[in-house]
Amino acid sequence: MFWNRNKNISSASSLPVQTVSRSFNDNGSLAFSRFQMQSKAERDLYSSLRDSVPVIDAALSKIVRLIGNFSVKVNSSEAQKIIDDFIENVPTVGGSFGLLGFIYNYLDDLLTYGEAVGEMVVSNGSKSIAALYNASLDDVEIRAGQSPLDLIVCKKSDCTSSTVLNQRLITATLLNPKSGTVCGTSVLKGLPFVSSILLRIFSSLKTNWERVGDVRFAVTYKPEQGSGAFSKESAKLIADEWRKAMRSDSVCDFISVGDVSVKVIGAESDMPDCDIPVKHIMEQILAKLGIPPFMLGISWSSTERMSEQQADILTSELEFYRSMLNPVIKKIVSTHLLLNGYNCRISIEWNDINLQDSVELAQARLNNAQAMKIEQEIGFISE
């Protein structure tokens, strides 16, 4: 009786699909080729991108934080108190508390890997959700059930995998899944190539500065005619005196006798200009992630109007991610309510993405009201 509310959903997701292959695994799930499922090597690649390229990690962290906060509304005052307490105090991974922290980690996995899995932990004898757990994608595997519309989560163990017993306590989300697969698409897809070029430029820049920044000198001694027998001893003496003069713990002048020239190695060569190629690569990365440059502290030449348009584009991206998270929040909250004996309609209200949006909307309403008042005064609109 507890799960009757989801009966129609379960039956709809189990409907046969005519355009899918009907090969099944041993556990009864649809079988896809290994190229249609995300591998651990691919996830490790995306993790290494965030570790190696700081702008990628900063951009994804900005998106997660900009998603904002939310509140859940129900039509019962007693159920509302239960939900408010649950959203505020439910334990999550790492000793944290609150549904918002769980959602932030969930979205972080979803953006990085294109997939996210969470679990509602119910303690023995408890009538509510005791904790929320963000599952590691290395420990689980998302598969299609008897229908590709029905996702099931399997737990990996050694070289085998077994279906999680209570799938109703599991939340799984795929970001922009490929058609005919159960494989999500990471927002970092397509960035390994351009990121490798960026890292190569940075590595070359480091090597060049190690060579040029730490100045090295070439000391040349040209012995006079007839002093060839003493040239070796003179060169050794000059080398000792030069080494003494270049000691970092003291200031000493270098004095020599004879034709001695000192030149900086590489002084005739210019450092390669990396600003233009780095900017081109950064443009590709930021275009893929959908973050305006000014939000990452990058001061490229742009007009105020262009910055507003970029902010509007980011707002639409954030609204899309919110729509991906709404089913997860509804499933968790409705499960907690059902465990407490309530079956209420749930509505999720997100906060405004930023204050600037609220100000602009208020200004637009004011302008429309003033325009309507002027039209009424001149007789265009009858009262």
Coordinates of all heavy atoms in Angstrom, one line a residue, residues 3-59:
W3 N 3.5 1.9 -1.6 CA 4.1 2.3 -2.9 C 3.0 2.3 -4.0 O 3.3 2.4 -5.2 CB 5.2 1.3 -3.4 CG 6.3 1.3 -2.4 CD1 6.6 0.2 -1.6 CD2 7.3 2.3 -2.1 NE1 7.7 0.5 -0.8 CE2 8.1 1.8 -1.2 CE3 7.5 3.6 -2.6 CZ2 9.2 2.5 -0.6 CZ3 8.5 4.3 -2.1 CH2 9.4 3.8 -1.1
N4 N 1.7 2.3 -3.6 CA 0.6 2.3 -4.6 C 0.6 3.6 -5.5 O 0.2 3.6 -6.6 CB -0.7 2.2 -3.9 CG -1.0 0.8 -3.4 OD1 -0.3 -0.1 -3.8 ND2 -2.0 0.6 -2.5
R5 N 1.2 4.7 -4.9 CA 1.1 5.9 -5.7 C 2.0 5.8 -6.9 O 1.7 6.5 -7.9 CB 1.7 7.1 -4.7 CG 1.6 8.4 -5.4 CD 2.2 9.5 -4.5 NE 2.2 10.8 -5.1 CZ 2.7 11.8 -4.5 NH1 3.2 11.8 -3.3 NH2 2.7 13.0 -5.2
N6 N 3.0 5.0 -6.9 CA 3.9 4.9 -8.1 C 3.6 3.7 -8.9 O 4.4 3.4 -9.8 CB 5.4 4.8 -7.6 CG 5.9 6.0 -6.9 OD1 5.4 7.1 -7.2 ND2 6.8 5.8 -5.9
K7 N 2.4 3.1 -8.7 CA 2.1 2.0 -9.5 C 1.9 2.3 -11.0 O 2.4 1.6 -11.8 CB 0.8 1.3 -8.9 CG 0.4 0.1 -9.6 CD -0.9 -0.5 -9.0 CE -1.3 -1.8 -9.7 NZ -2.5 -2.4 -9.1
N8 N 1.3 3.4 -11.3 CA 1.1 3.7 -12.7 C 2.4 4.1 -13.4 O 2.6 3.7 -14.5 CB 0.1 4.9 -12.8 CG -1.3 4.5 -12.3 OD1 -1.7 3.4 -12.4 ND2 -2.1 5.5 -11.8
I9 N 3.3 4.7 -12.6 CA 4.6 5.1 -13.2 C 5.4 3.8 -13.5 O 6.0 3.7 -14.6 CB 5.3 6.0 -12.3 CG1 4.6 7.3 -12.0 CG2 6.7 6.3 -12.8 CD1 5.2 8.2 -11.0
S10 N 5.4 2.9 -12.6 CA 6.1 1.6 -12.8 C 5.6 0.9 -14.0 O 6.3 0.3 -14.8 CB 6.1 0.8 -11.6 OG 6.7 1.5 -10.5
S11 N 4.2 0.8 -14.1 CA 3.7 0.0 -15.3 C 4.0 0.7 -16.6 O 4.2 0.1 -17.6 CB 2.2 -0.1 -15.1 OG 1.5 1.1 -15.0
A12 N 4.0 2.1 -16.6 CA 4.2 2.8 -17.8 C 5.7 2.6 -18.2 O 6.0 2.5 -19.4 CB 4.0 4.3 -17.6
S13 N 6.6 2.6 -17.3 CA 8.0 2.4 -17.7 C 8.4 1.0 -18.1 O 9.4 0.8 -18.6 CB 8.9 2.8 -16.5 OG 8.7 2.0 -15.4
S14 N 7.4 0.1 -17.8 CA 7.7 -1.3 -18.2 C 7.0 -1.7 -19.5 O 7.0 -2.9 -19.9 CB 7.2 -2.3 -17.1 OG 7.8 -2.0 -15.9
L15 N 6.5 -0.7 -20.2 CA 5.8 -1.0 -21.5 C 6.9 -1.5 -22.5 O 8.0 -1.0 -22.5 CB 5.1 0.2 -22.0 CG 3.9 0.7 -21.2 CD1 3.4 2.0 -21.8 CD2 2.8 -0.4 -21.3
P16 N 6.6 -2.4 -23.4 CA 7.5 -2.9 -24.4 C 7.8 -1.8 -25.4 O 6.9 -1.1 -25.9 CB 6.8 -4.1 -25.0 CG 5.4 -3.8 -24.8 CD 5.3 -3.1 -23.5
V17 N 9.1 -1.6 -25.8 CA 9.5 -0.7 -26.8 C 9.9 -1.5 -28.0 O 10.7 -2.4 -28.0 CB 10.7 0.2 -26.3 CG1 11.1 1.1 -27.4 CG2 10.3 0.9 -25.0
Q18 N 9.3 -1.1 -29.2 CA 9.4 -1.9 -30.4 C 10.8 -1.7 -31.1 O 11.2 -2.6 -31.8 CB 8.3 -1.6 -31.4 CG 6.9 -1.8 -30.8 CD 5.9 -1.5 -31.9 OE1 5.7 -2.2 -32.9 NE2 5.2 -0.4 -31.7
T19 N 11.4 -0.6 -30.8 CA 12.6 -0.2 -31.6 C 13.9 -0.6 -30.8 O 14.9 0.0 -31.2 CB 12.6 1.3 -32.0 OG1 12.5 2.0 -30.8 CG2 11.4 1.6 -32.9
V20 N 13.8 -1.4 -29.8 CA 15.0 -1.7 -29.0 C 15.3 -3.2 -29.2 O 14.4 -4.0 -29.4 CB 14.8 -1.4 -27.5 CG1 13.8 -2.3 -26.9 CG2 16.1 -1.4 -26.8
S21 N 16.6 -3.5 -29.1 CA 17.0 -4.9 -29.2 C 16.5 -5.6 -28.0 O 16.5 -5.1 -26.8 CB 18.6 -5.0 -29.2 OG 19.0 -6.3 -29.1
R22 N 16.1 -6.9 -28.1 CA 15.5 -7.6 -27.0 C 16.5 -8.6 -26.4 O 16.1 -9.6 -25.8 CB 14.3 -8.4 -27.5 CG 13.3 -7.6 -28.2 CD 12.8 -6.4 -27.4 NE 12.3 -6.7 -26.2 CZ 11.9 -5.8 -25.2 NH1 12.1 -4.5 -25.5 NH2 11.4 -6.2 -24.1
S23 N 17.8 -8.3 -26.5 CA 18.8 -9.2 -25.8 C 18.9 -8.8 -24.3 O 18.9 -7.6 -24.0 CB 20.1 -9.1 -26.4 OG 20.6 -7.7 -26.5
F24 N 18.9 -9.7 -23.4 CA 18.9 -9.5 -22.0 C 20.1 -10.0 -21.3 O 20.7 -11.0 -21.7 CB 17.6 -10.1 -21.3 CG 16.4 -9.4 -21.8 CD1 15.7 -9.9 -22.9 CD2 15.9 -8.3 -21.1 CE1 14.5 -9.3 -23.3 CE2 14.7 -7.7 -21.6 CZ 14.0 -8.2 -22.6
N25 N 20.5 -9.4 -20.2 CA 21.5 -10.0 -19.3 C 21.0 -11.1 -18.4 O 19.8 -11.4 -18.4 CB 22.1 -8.8 -18.5 CG 22.9 -7.8 -19.3 OD1 23.6 -8.2 -20.2 ND2 22.6 -6.5 -19.0
D26 N 21.9 -11.6 -17.6 CA 21.4 -12.7 -16.7 C 20.5 -12.2 -15.6 O 19.6 -13.0 -15.2 CB 22.7 -13.3 -16.0 CG 23.6 -14.0 -17.0 OD1 23.1 -14.4 -18.1 OD2 24.8 -14.2 -16.7
N27 N 20.6 -10.9 -15.3 CA 19.7 -10.4 -14.2 C 18.4 -9.9 -14.8 O 17.6 -9.2 -14.1 CB 20.4 -9.3 -13.4 CG 20.8 -8.2 -14.3 OD1 20.6 -8.2 -15.5 ND2 21.5 -7.2 -13.7
G28 N 18.1 -10.1 -16.1 CA 16.9 -9.7 -16.7 C 16.8 -8.3 -17.3 O 15.8 -7.8 -17.8
S29 N 18.0 -7.5 -17.2 CA 18.0 -6.2 -17.8 C 18.4 -6.2 -19.2 O 19.1 -7.2 -19.7 CB 19.0 -5.3 -17.0 OG 20.3 -5.9 -17.1
L30 N 18.1 -5.2 -19.9 CA 18.5 -5.1 -21.3 C 20.0 -5.0 -21.5 O 20.7 -4.4 -20.7 CB 17.8 -3.9 -22.0 CG 16.4 -4.0 -22.4 CD1 15.8 -2.6 -22.9 CD2 16.1 -5.0 -23.5
A31 N 20.5 -5.7 -22.5 CA 22.0 -5.8 -22.7 C 22.4 -4.7 -23.7 O 21.8 -4.7 -24.8 CB 22.4 -7.2 -23.1
F32 N 23.3 -3.9 -23.3 CA 23.9 -2.9 -24.3 C 25.4 -3.3 -24.4 O 26.0 -3.9 -23.5 CB 23.8 -1.5 -23.7 CG 22.3 -1.0 -23.7 CD1 21.6 -1.0 -22.6 CD2 21.8 -0.5 -24.9 CE1 20.3 -0.5 -22.6 CE2 20.5 -0.1 -24.9 CZ 19.7 0.0 -23.8
S33 N 25.9 -2.8 -25.5 CA 27.4 -3.1 -25.7 C 28.2 -2.2 -24.8 O 27.7 -1.2 -24.2 CB 27.8 -2.7 -27.2 OG 27.7 -1.4 -27.4
R34 N 29.4 -2.5 -24.5 CA 30.2 -1.8 -23.6 C 30.5 -0.4 -24.1 O 30.9 0.5 -23.3 CB 31.6 -2.5 -23.4 CG 32.4 -2.6 -24.7 CD 33.7 -3.4 -24.4 NE 34.5 -3.5 -25.6 CZ 35.5 -2.7 -25.8 NH1 35.8 -1.7 -25.0 NH2 36.3 -2.8 -26.9
F35 N 30.3 -0.1 -25.4 CA 30.5 1.3 -25.9 C 29.3 2.1 -25.6 O 29.4 3.4 -25.7 CB 30.7 1.2 -27.4 CG 32.0 0.5 -27.8 CD1 31.9 -0.8 -28.3 CD2 33.2 1.0 -27.6 CE1 33.0 -1.5 -28.7 CE2 34.4 0.3 -27.9 CZ 34.2 -1.0 -28.5
Q36 N 28.2 1.5 -25.1 CA 27.0 2.3 -24.8 C 26.8 2.5 -23.3 O 25.7 2.9 -22.9 CB 25.7 1.6 -25.4 CG 25.8 1.5 -26.9 CD 24.6 0.7 -27.5 OE1 24.4 -0.4 -27.0 NE2 24.0 1.2 -28.5
M37 N 27.8 2.2 -22.5 CA 27.8 2.4 -21.1 C 29.0 3.1 -20.7 O 30.1 2.8 -21.3 CB 27.6 1.0 -20.4 CG 26.3 0.3 -20.8 SD 26.1 -1.3 -19.9 CE 25.9 -0.8 -18.3
Q38 N 28.9 3.9 -19.7 CA 30.1 4.7 -19.3 C 31.1 3.8 -18.5 O 30.7 3.0 -17.7 CB 29.7 5.9 -18.4 CG 30.7 6.9 -18.1 CD 30.2 8.1 -17.3 OE1 30.1 7.9 -16.1 NE2 29.9 9.2 -18.0
S39 N 32.4 4.0 -18.8 CA 33.4 3.2 -18.2 C 34.1 4.0 -17.1 O 34.0 5.2 -17.1 CB 34.5 2.7 -19.3 OG 35.1 3.9 -19.8
K40 N 34.8 3.3 -16.3 CA 35.6 3.9 -15.2 C 36.7 4.8 -15.8 O 37.0 5.8 -15.2 CB 36.1 2.9 -14.2 CG 36.8 3.5 -13.0 CD 37.3 2.4 -12.1 CE 37.9 3.0 -10.8 NZ 39.0 3.9 -11.1
A41 N 37.3 4.4 -16.9 CA 38.4 5.2 -17.5 C 37.8 6.5 -17.9 O 38.5 7.5 -17.8 CB 39.0 4.4 -18.7
E42 N 36.6 6.5 -18.4 CA 36.0 7.8 -18.9 C 35.8 8.7 -17.7 O 36.0 9.9 -17.7 CB 34.7 7.6 -19.6 CG 34.1 8.8 -20.3 CD 32.9 8.5 -21.1 OE1 32.6 7.3 -21.2 OE2 32.3 9.4 -21.6
R43 N 35.3 8.2 -16.6 CA 35.1 9.0 -15.4 C 36.4 9.5 -14.8 O 36.5 10.6 -14.3 CB 34.3 8.2 -14.3 CG 32.9 7.9 -14.7 CD 32.1 7.4 -13.5 NE 32.6 6.1 -13.1 CZ 32.2 4.9 -13.6 NH1 31.2 4.9 -14.5 NH2 32.7 3.8 -13.1
D44 N 37.4 8.6 -14.8 CA 38.7 9.1 -14.4 C 39.3 10.2 -15.2 O 39.9 11.1 -14.7 CB 39.7 7.9 -14.3 CG 39.4 6.9 -13.3 OD1 38.6 7.2 -12.4 OD2 39.9 5.7 -13.4
L45 N 39.0 10.2 -16.5 CA 39.4 11.2 -17.4 C 38.8 12.6 -17.0 O 39.4 13.6 -17.0 CB 39.1 10.9 -18.8 CG 39.4 12.0 -19.9 CD1 40.9 12.3 -19.9 CD2 39.0 11.5 -21.3
Y46 N 37.5 12.5 -16.8 CA 36.8 13.8 -16.4 C 37.2 14.3 -15.0 O 37.4 15.5 -14.8 CB 35.3 13.5 -16.4 CG 34.7 13.2 -17.7 CD1 33.6 12.2 -17.8 CD2 35.2 13.8 -18.9 CE1 33.1 11.9 -19.1 CE2 34.6 13.4 -20.1 CZ 33.6 12.5 -20.2 OH 33.1 12.2 -21.4
S47 N 37.5 13.4 -14.1 CA 38.0 13.8 -12.8 C 39.4 14.5 -13.0 O 39.7 15.5 -12.3 CB 38.1 12.6 -11.9 OG 36.8 12.1 -11.6
S48 N 40.3 13.9 -13.8 CA 41.6 14.4 -14.0 C 41.5 15.8 -14.7 O 42.4 16.7 -14.5 CB 42.5 13.5 -14.8 OG 41.9 13.3 -16.2
L49 N 40.5 16.0 -15.5 CA 40.3 17.3 -16.2 C 40.1 18.4 -15.1 O 40.6 19.5 -15.2 CB 39.2 17.3 -17.2 CG 39.5 16.7 -18.6 CD1 38.2 16.8 -19.4 CD2 40.6 17.5 -19.2
R50 N 39.2 18.1 -14.1 CA 38.9 19.0 -13.1 C 40.1 19.3 -12.2 O 40.4 20.4 -11.7 CB 37.8 18.5 -12.2 CG 36.4 18.5 -13.0 CD 35.3 18.2 -12.0 NE 35.1 19.4 -11.1 CZ 34.0 19.5 -10.3 NH1 33.0 18.7 -10.4 NH2 34.0 20.6 -9.5
D51 N 41.0 18.3 -12.0 CA 42.2 18.4 -11.2 C 43.3 19.2 -11.9 O 44.0 19.9 -11.3 CB 42.7 17.1 -10.8 CG 41.7 16.3 -9.8 OD1 40.9 17.0 -9.2 OD2 41.8 15.1 -9.8
S52 N 43.3 19.0 -13.2 CA 44.4 19.6 -14.0 C 44.2 21.0 -14.5 O 45.1 21.8 -14.6 CB 44.8 18.7 -15.2 OG 45.1 17.4 -14.8
V53 N 42.9 21.3 -14.8 CA 42.5 22.6 -15.4 C 41.7 23.3 -14.4 O 40.5 23.0 -14.3 CB 41.8 22.5 -16.8 CG1 41.6 23.8 -17.4 CG2 42.6 21.6 -17.7
P54 N 42.2 24.3 -13.6 CA 41.4 24.9 -12.6 C 40.2 25.6 -13.1 O 39.2 25.7 -12.4 CB 42.4 25.9 -12.0 CG 43.8 25.4 -12.3 CD 43.6 24.7 -13.6
V55 N 40.2 26.2 -14.3 CA 39.0 26.9 -14.8 C 37.8 26.0 -15.0 O 36.7 26.4 -14.8 CB 39.4 27.7 -16.1 CG1 39.6 26.7 -17.2 CG2 38.3 28.7 -16.5
I56 N 38.1 24.7 -15.3 CA 37.0 23.8 -15.5 C 36.4 23.5 -14.1 O 35.1 23.5 -13.9 CB 37.5 22.5 -16.1 CG1 37.9 22.8 -17.6 CG2 36.4 21.4 -16.1 CD1 38.4 21.6 -18.3
D57 N 37.2 23.3 -13.1 CA 36.7 23.0 -11.8 C 35.9 24.2 -11.2 O 34.9 24.1 -10.6 CB 37.8 22.6 -10.9 CG 37.4 22.2 -9.5 OD1 36.7 21.2 -9.3 OD2 37.7 23.0 -8.5
A58 N 36.5 25.4 -11.4 CA 35.8 26.6 -11.0 C 34.5 26.8 -11.6 O 33.5 27.2 -11.0 CB 36.8 27.8 -11.2
A59 N 34.4 26.6 -12.9 CA 33.2 26.8 -13.7 C 32.1 25.8 -13.2 O 30.9 26.2 -12.9 CB 33.4 26.6 -15.2

